Amino acid sequence: MSSQPFISFAGVCKSYDGVHNVVEGLDLDVARGEFVSLLGPSGSGKTTTLMMLAGFESPTRGEIRLAGNRLDDKPPHRRDIGMVFQNYALFPHMTIAENVAFPLSVRKMSRSEQKVRVQRALDMVELSHLGARRPAQLSGGQQQRVALARALVFEPSVVLMDEPLGALDKRLRESMQYEIMRLHRELSLTIVYVTHDQNEALTMSDRVAVFSDGRIQQAAAPTELYENAANAFVANFVGENNGLLGHVVSTQGEWAALQLADNSTVYGRAGAGLATGDTAMLALRPERAHIAATPASVQEAAQQDMNVVHALVQELVYCGDHHRVHLKLSHGETVVVKVPNTQHRDLPALGRQTAVTWRRDDCKVLPATAAALNAITPQDSAGFSTSSSSSSDSPLIAGVN
Ligand code: ADP
Ligand code: MG
């Protein structure tokens, strides 16, 4: 990858009504060959950002560059960018081969060259045997592969995809994810991919830019986002999270101490910009929390400098590969602990008083502005769970709702 970014957004704002910016101060660089996802709830500005890159919308302020050149004055068909949308957008009256050839005929390529390229593009998505059919004779997954072939046929340097798998069922969506990842690798494509599905973004991307309310909250590699969320919004939106609210009582180097509403004090890695007295959220993944059911195990955890909170077992949910234990802290906040179903484990009995423990470096204390906490509404989380792999994967926003 060269040092110059291949795609760059600098200070980009977009307003449709001249009053309210739906994209605000967007700075984002994408390297050549990188797969970057724009992830965020509905209405957060992902499609608008993609449309500005594609040339279907123009920025109200700021600049967008491709390979160092400003894109502003270039019409969409001269941008060397392929696009795939959720609804395939195939021409129903044309055959599959004619659909794939369309971008080539627009570019006035010779018939013989078109034929070679269409064949190659259909081979790539393993549909060369269906070239003579019409879109209505294909399944949804096959139609989406045609749309993919059509976006790739003119060998664009960048491919933009806007929720391309949103209309497909789970199995098909997963196999298409691998197909797109394979094409990205084999063709060294630069891909900017829009999705509201965090699993999809984490699985496919080199880097994910998390959007909320027109702003990028964090742009980082999937592991970094999951392990090192920059703020409460990212922690809640990416993966499942126990968010416990409290006040920062002290910070020391990379650590912060947080007093929870039940007056217990817990410690975690400190997020940037925390000061004593701030309202903050402790972000704890359910798989990093443990149940200490006996006084001896509580004592052992305390000796190892682990965090300990006391809680009541409220619900036990069997999920096949794991159990989910819902616990209530004395002041009412809920914690969910994921217990892997790998061996016979003694799960605590319903209604029992027990303790939840976790390592200090397995949680993070994050700035929690009201805006960040309100940015996830129950609707977003509902929509989000139906599109992810199972209903039990919906994000936890304990202490927020
Ligand atoms: P996302 O793709 O993240 O769901 P969008 O970029 O589509 O978000 O929308 C961001 C905001 O801009 C939303 O509030 C949406 O209603 C508004 N919006 C999108 N397109 C238009 C448009 N053509 N005219 C006016 N408002 C729009
Ligand atoms: Mg959209």
Side-chain angles (χ1 to χ4, degrees), residues 273-294:
L274 279 183
T276 302
D278 283 355
T279 299
M281 185 191 85
L282 180 99
L284 171 65
R285 302 293 182 193
E287 75 276 14
R288 301 284 166 83
H290 313 281
I291 289 170
T294 63

Side-chain angles (χ1 to χ4, degrees), residues 64-307:
I64 305 175
R65 289 174 185 267
L66 179 61
N69 303 312
R70 281 192 71 151
L71 279 177
D72 311 34
D73 301 326
K74 272 201 179 165
H77 66 277
R78 296 200 46 227
R79 292 189 178 200
D80 190 25
I81 288 175
M83 284 222 57
V84 185
F85 303 95
Q86 177 171 344
N87 55 5
Y88 326 133
L90 300 178
F91 300 111
H93 60 286
M94 291 186 189
T95 65
I96 297 312
E98 286 164 352
N99 264 282
V100 175
F102 185 76
L104 304 179
S105 57
V106 171
R107 286 170 175 77
K108 310 252 184 298
M109 193 175 276
S110 75
R111 289 257 165 196
S112 55
E113 179 69 15
Q114 283 189 30
K115 225 178 143 195
V116 173
R117 296 253 198 145
V118 168
Q119 187 60 41
R120 203 188 304 152
L122 285 175
D123 277 344
M124 261 179 332
V125 296
E126 290 163 18
L127 283 180
S128 41
H129 57 299
L130 298 181
R133 292 215 192 154
R134 295 195 194 273
Q137 297 169 299
L138 266 54
S139 70
Q142 289 172 329
Q143 289 187 51
Q144 194 53 294
R145 276 150 66 196
V146 175
L148 204 55
R150 188 179 56 183
L152 297 174
V153 73
F154 61 98
E155 296 174 8
S157 51
V158 180
V159 181
L160 309 184
M161 304 194 190
D162 194 350
E163 313 247 7
L165 311 182
L168 306 180
D169 67 42
K170 180 177 173 296
R171 282 252 312 268
L172 205 50
R173 203 161 65 225
E174 282 173 4
S175 80
M176 283 295 294
Q177 286 172 4
Y178 287 111
E179 187 128 350
I180 293 170
M181 287 158 74
R182 176 180 65 82
L183 291 169
H184 168 246
R185 209 170 44 238
E186 287 176 2
L187 305 177
S188 307
L189 297 169
T190 305
I191 296 183
V192 183
Y193 190 100
V194 164
T195 180
H196 66 276
D197 180 338
Q198 46 119 7
N199 286 331
E200 190 161 286
L202 293 181
T203 316
M204 300 179 77
S205 325
D206 296 318
R207 216 146 48 91
V208 181
V210 180
F211 276 65
S212 168
D213 220 7
R215 290 174 189 272
I216 293 184
Q217 302 293 316
Q218 187 172 8
T223 50
E224 178 72 6
L225 275 189
Y226 191 79
E227 307 290 343
N228 247 326
N231 60 37
F233 179 84
V234 175
N236 283 330
F237 195 76
V238 179
E240 211 180 321
N241 181 50
N242 287 298
L244 299 177
L245 292 178
H247 288 99
V248 178
V249 288
S250 67
T251 59
Q252 192 174 35
E254 54 187 310
W255 302 100
L258 189 72
Q259 186 171 44
L260 301 180
D262 68 357
N263 284 328
S264 61
T265 301
V266 292
Y267 299 83
R269 289 179 286 129
L274 279 183
T276 302
D278 283 355
T279 299
M281 185 191 85
L282 180 99
L284 171 65
R285 302 293 182 193
E287 75 276 14
R288 301 284 166 83
H290 313 281
I291 289 170
T294 63
S297 53
V298 171
Q299 199 178 6
E300 193 185 331
Q303 275 164 0
Q304 291 170 3
D305 274 345
M306 289 173 77
N307 290 304

